[in-house]
Amino acid sequence: MYDIEHEAEDHSRTIVHIDIDCFYAQVEMIKDPRLYQIPLGIKQKNILVTSNYVARKYGVKKCMLIADALKVCPNLEIVKGEDLYDYRKMSYQVTSYLQKYSVLVERLGLDENYVDVTQLVDERLKHQNPNIDVRGNLFNNIAETCVCGCVERLKMGSVIAQEIREGVLHELKLTTCAGISYNKLLAKLACSLHKPNEQTVVFPNHAVALMLSLSNVSEIPGVGSATDEILEKINIRTIEDLQKCHFETLIQALNGDRAKWLVDLSYGRDNSVVKTSGRPQSIGLEDSCKVLNVETEVREKFHQLLMRLIILVSEDGRIPTTIKVTIRKFDSVSKVSHRETKQCNIGPNLFSTDKITRMISLNEQSEKKLLSIVMNLFKKLVNTSRSYHITLLGLSFTKFKERFDGKNSIASYLMNDLAVQSVTSIERKNSISQPQTSLQTVCSTDGSENEIEPLPKKSRLGSLVSRCARLGDSDYSSPSKLRVADLRLNSRDSDHGDTGYLDTVASSREIECPPNADKDVFKELPSDVQQELWEDWKRNRSHEDPHDKPFKKAKTNTLLNYFLKN
Ligand code: DCP
Ligand code: MG
Ligand code: MG
């Protein structure tokens, strides 16, 4: 048997897992408050993907066939939930709200987030009376005896979780559930113990009991149907089976790391970290339809999609450089449908930035140009001189570039990058008075699906960060100063006085501004960043095109690319 006692368990983190109650149904109820009082189901095709809690009282369940749901609840009001636009938008607003509490917010699907509130807890415990009660429910209702300090931390975590949930309700009108524990696994499981609109704390000495309360190994988060089938073949069904299994047999069935991971989970042990979710690699919309076979209708549909997509992209703040068209064609001979896509590059100068709102937008001319690009792509996919039968149209933007001003500026991009990689380690070494204050402007509004920023940024930023850390300047006691002043980017803007890090890295020598960069922004940058931009430009100069197309010329992933004039 794998010896799970071989290393001391770490309870130092405080993780909150948040899940939105009947998510799609709540979004629909916000849009039409009449629905709060009546049983509501959200349908996709012929099933209900969710229902509100009024409907659940009648026995309506997730993934029920509509026909079955209507049998148990004939008064069920059914709303279509195939267009995910509003759900996705709300989902990102929730993640964005949570980022006020920590830079470590990880999205899981559309309605769940992990928030690592360890720092905030530590900070609060320094300043507040630790004799507080658990807010919400306590798994197993028994007081904790661990002496490592986790009792106070998790109690404080429950206070913070309650604040977060009250904030989400107040700001976004959504009720949520939360689980609070010292690892992600237990926090997620705790979250589902009391629903809706409740929260639950799990202390370490009840971790094993919580795991044993699961009826089957497939209820362990991360165990999908493939793993479940493998386990079934070696007669592992319950959590107890997993705990008592012959470890060598498990290793033969799964690989060694996965076997160890799984046994650890069966004891409630999970060292995985809360990873800051990156932003999406593509932003797209699709619309299915019964039949589209006239070009003017196709154009109109694409126009509608484009208009909605522009709103999503402007909320994201980055500038897309590729557009992709998706179609689903129905073949009347074979009677099957299939998807096809075609994409092309678009010039970033199609987009402009509103001087006041800092949102990116398209003017009428660019809108027309983009629509004609879309129609050209469509015509490459479909021979419009013959009859055709389209059942879905989709548009998406990909390959985003950061803007160099505004909330998704180069500074913000650098800050984000720091936030992802290194700020936390610096913060941990230093006292933080108000960790949440600056994050709204620093973090993207959009915390989705696992995009990792390109590597070249990391190495350079890594050096910036290590310099910060080496200098150990007391001004870094505030992460807001670190992120905003540090990279916005010069001592003149900062309140560091004459002794800060920025002065230390600033050189008195003036570095020439590359001709294709904005002089005002350039002079605000630290000297080593200026130097790098200048070197980048020099490297690219040999390929310079007399028609001045900077985005095309610079190599991808260079700092210069993030700094060129829009
Ligand atoms: N969803 C879906 N298909 C499924 C399950 C869910 O499209 N098979 C959608 C609808 C849900 C949303 O995802 O609203 C979130 O899923 P949850 O499992 O968290 O369910 P709810 O939030 O709806 O309900 P709960 O209150 O149980 O969390
Ligand atoms: Mg939910
Ligand atoms: Mg969920």
Side-chain angles (χ1 to χ4, degrees):
M1 213 173 93
Y2 163 55
D3 174 17
I4 65 133
E5 303 294 344
H6 67 291
E7 54 192 48
E9 199 174 5
D10 172 26
H11 306 156
S12 61
R13 296 180 297 157
T14 306
I15 313 288
V16 177
H17 178 266
I18 304 265
D19 186 302
I20 303 168
D21 298 325
C22 58
F23 179 40
Y24 292 4
Q26 280 206 77
V27 173
E28 297 303 334
M29 293 190 292
I30 291 167
K31 288 196 272 181
D32 178 2
R34 179 185 62 88
L35 300 171
Y36 278 110
Q37 316 303 332
I38 56 178
L40 167 69
I42 308 300
K43 76 162 193 165
Q44 281 177 2
K45 306 257 185 262
N46 59 345
I47 65 158
L48 291 183
V49 286
T50 194
S51 63
N52 67 2
Y53 277 81
V54 181
R56 290 187 201 192
K57 281 195 186 133
Y58 289 87
V60 175
K61 294 197 165 60
K62 276 181 242 178
C63 298
M64 233 183 188
L65 285 170
I66 290 171
D68 293 341
L70 286 170
K71 275 183 206 152
V72 296
C73 182
N75 297 334
L76 187 69
E77 177 111 357
I78 296 172
V79 170
K80 275 191 190 172
E82 274 133 15
D83 182 347
L84 303 185
Y85 177 87
D86 291 336
Y87 311 142
R88 201 170 279 150
K89 186 172 170 190
M90 185 63 94
S91 170
Y92 290 143
Q93 281 177 300
V94 171
T95 302
S96 181
Y97 182 82
L98 300 178
Q99 286 167 336
K100 289 188 201 181
Y101 289 84
S102 174
V103 286
L104 295 175
V105 178
E106 180 179 342
R107 287 166 63 81
L108 193 67
L110 281 187
D111 88 326
E112 294 175 36
N113 288 273
Y114 289 106
V115 190
D116 183 330
V117 293
T118 307
Q119 278 185 338
L120 191 53
V121 163
D122 289 350
E123 196 55 34
R124 294 260 183 109
L125 285 175
K126 268 188 219 147
H127 298 111
Q128 287 180 23
N129 180 1
N131 293 324
I132 47 171
D133 292 328
V134 167
R135 303 289 158 86
N137 306 283
L138 181 56
F139 175 70
N140 261 3
N141 246 350
I142 312 167
E144 171 61 57
T145 52
C146 186
V147 292
C148 79
C150 64
V151 180
E152 288 70 32
R153 286 193 292 272
L154 292 172
K155 284 180 179 174
M156 187 55 86
S158 75
V159 172
I160 293 166
Q162 192 170 50
E163 272 175 41
I164 292 176
R165 291 176 47 244
E166 283 168 3
V168 172
L169 183 59
H170 184 255
E171 297 281 320
L172 301 168
K173 314 274 176 283
L174 291 171
T175 65
T176 53
C177 284
I180 303 102
S181 200
Y182 55 93
N183 69 37
K184 285 164 70 177
L185 169 73
L186 298 171
K188 180 168 166 68
L189 290 173
C191 185
S192 57
L193 291 176
H194 296 272
K195 292 168 85 167
N197 200 16
E198 295 210 44
Q199 62 178 56
T200 308
V201 182
V202 178
F203 284 125
N205 59 348
H206 304 295
V208 176
L210 176 57
M211 297 313 297
L212 289 171
S213 73
L214 304 180
S215 61
N216 192 288
V217 283
S218 63
E219 286 184 34
I220 301 176
V223 174
S225 54
T227 308
D228 192 31
E229 271 172 33
I230 295 171
L231 295 176
E232 189 166 15
K233 280 187 191 140
I234 53 171
N235 291 324
I236 295 177
R237 297 319 302 136
T238 66
I239 306 297
E240 209 177 348
D241 292 342
L242 196 51
Q243 289 175 350
K244 291 184 177 159
C245 76
H246 184 249
F247 192 56
E248 291 307 316
T249 312
L250 192 63
I251 289 182
Q252 275 164 19
L254 303 166
N255 76 37
D257 283 350
R258 201 159 165 81
K260 181 180 175 302
W261 167 78
L262 209 50
V263 175
D264 276 338
L265 294 187
S266 74
Y267 287 95
R269 296 163 61 108
D270 173 22
N271 290 328
S272 65
V273 296
V274 175
K275 294 185 279 287
T276 306
S277 298
R279 286 182 287 166
Q281 290 175 1
S282 87
I283 298 178
L285 287 171
E286 289 185 348
D287 202 355
S288 54
C289 44
K290 280 211 170 67
V291 60
L292 268 179
N293 48 17
V294 181
E295 195 176 323
T296 50
E297 285 175 13
V298 170
R299 177 182 286 272
E300 180 50 33
K301 198 80 156 174
F302 273 133
H303 186 236
Q304 287 167 7
L305 285 172
L306 190 61
M307 291 303 94
R308 296 181 70 186
L309 201 52
I310 296 297
I311 297 170
L312 286 180
V313 168
S314 75
E315 282 166 3
D316 179 273
R318 292 168 299 166
I319 294 176
T321 62
T322 301
I323 190 161
K324 184 162 90 180
V325 165
T326 302
I327 58 159
R328 190 172 60 204
K329 254 196 256 182
F330 179 72
D331 186 331
S332 53
V333 180
S334 62
K335 303 274 181 238
V336 290
S337 297
H338 64 274
R339 278 173 173 257
E340 284 178 41
T341 62
K342 196 98 195 158
Q343 65 182 49
C344 72
N345 291 338
I346 48 174
N349 50 356
L350 280 172
F351 296 89
S352 52
T353 306
D354 185 286
K355 286 198 172 64
I356 296 161
T357 64
R358 313 310 301 154
M359 300 278 268
I360 64 168
S361 59
L362 275 185
N363 63 27
E364 209 175 311
Q365 203 184 353
S366 300
E367 197 183 299
K368 278 188 186 148
K369 194 166 171 189
L370 210 44
L371 191 57
S372 80
I373 292 172
V374 167
M375 287 308 291
N376 282 341
L377 289 172
F378 175 76
K379 283 175 188 170
K380 284 184 181 156
L381 290 166
V382 176
N383 183 348
T384 50
S385 60
R386 294 201 194 149
S387 73
Y388 55 90
H389 187 147
I390 303 293
T391 58
L392 176 142
L393 290 181
L395 270 188
S396 58
F397 285 121
T398 56
K399 297 195 183 152
F400 292 95
K401 278 185 188 292
E402 297 289 341
R403 283 187 307 176
F404 61 89
D405 62 8
K407 76 177 166 127
N408 287 297
S409 61
I410 184 173
S412 177
Y413 131 77
L414 293 169
M415 291 168 207
N416 261 339
D417 211 36
L418 274 175
V420 174
Q421 297 164 62
S422 308
V423 162
T424 48
S425 56
I426 295 169
E427 283 170 355
R428 270 166 214 224
K429 288 187 204 130
N430 297 284
S431 152
I432 300 150
S433 48
Q434 286 292 321
Q436 61 272 55
T437 48
S438 72
L439 295 178
Q440 258 170 322
T441 49
V442 170
C443 297
S444 80
T445 55
D446 180 346
S448 68
E449 285 78 48
N450 303 329
E451 186 187 1
I452 296 157
E453 298 285 359
L455 279 169
K457 295 176 236 166
K458 289 185 181 170
S459 52
R460 198 188 54 71
L461 285 161
S463 74
L464 274 174
V465 170
S466 59
R467 238 171 309 155
C468 287
R470 269 205 313 279
L471 285 156
D473 193 307
S474 60
D475 277 323
Y476 290 101
S477 60
S478 161
S480 57
K481 284 179 188 170
L482 177 66
R483 295 189 195 107
V484 180
D486 171 25
L487 292 162
R488 192 189 292 151
L489 294 162
N490 222 322
S491 49
R492 177 159 89 67
D493 264 8
S494 78
D495 52 0
H496 290 206
D498 290 326
T499 53
Y501 149 76
L502 294 164
D503 288 342
T504 316
V505 294
S507 145
S508 55
R509 184 168 58 88
E510 230 179 57
I511 297 157
E512 212 169 320
C513 174
N516 49 359
D518 184 314
K519 285 194 179 56
D520 291 338
V521 182
F522 185 82
K523 73 176 185 229
E524 299 297 316
L525 292 162
S527 60
D528 59 339
V529 179
Q530 290 181 344
Q531 187 68 44
E532 192 174 333
L533 287 165
W534 174 244
E535 297 296 333
D536 266 354
W537 180 78
K538 276 202 300 187
R539 265 197 301 278
N540 287 314
R541 180 171 52 173
S542 52
H543 312 292
E544 191 88 271
D545 156 327
H547 303 298
D548 187 25
K549 291 178 185 161
F551 275 96
K552 280 198 169 168
K553 291 296 118 188
K555 272 189 279 175
T556 54
N557 291 337
T558 64
L559 189 55
L560 186 61
N561 255 341
Y562 290 92
F563 195 61
L564 297 171
K565 275 181 178 158
N566 188 352

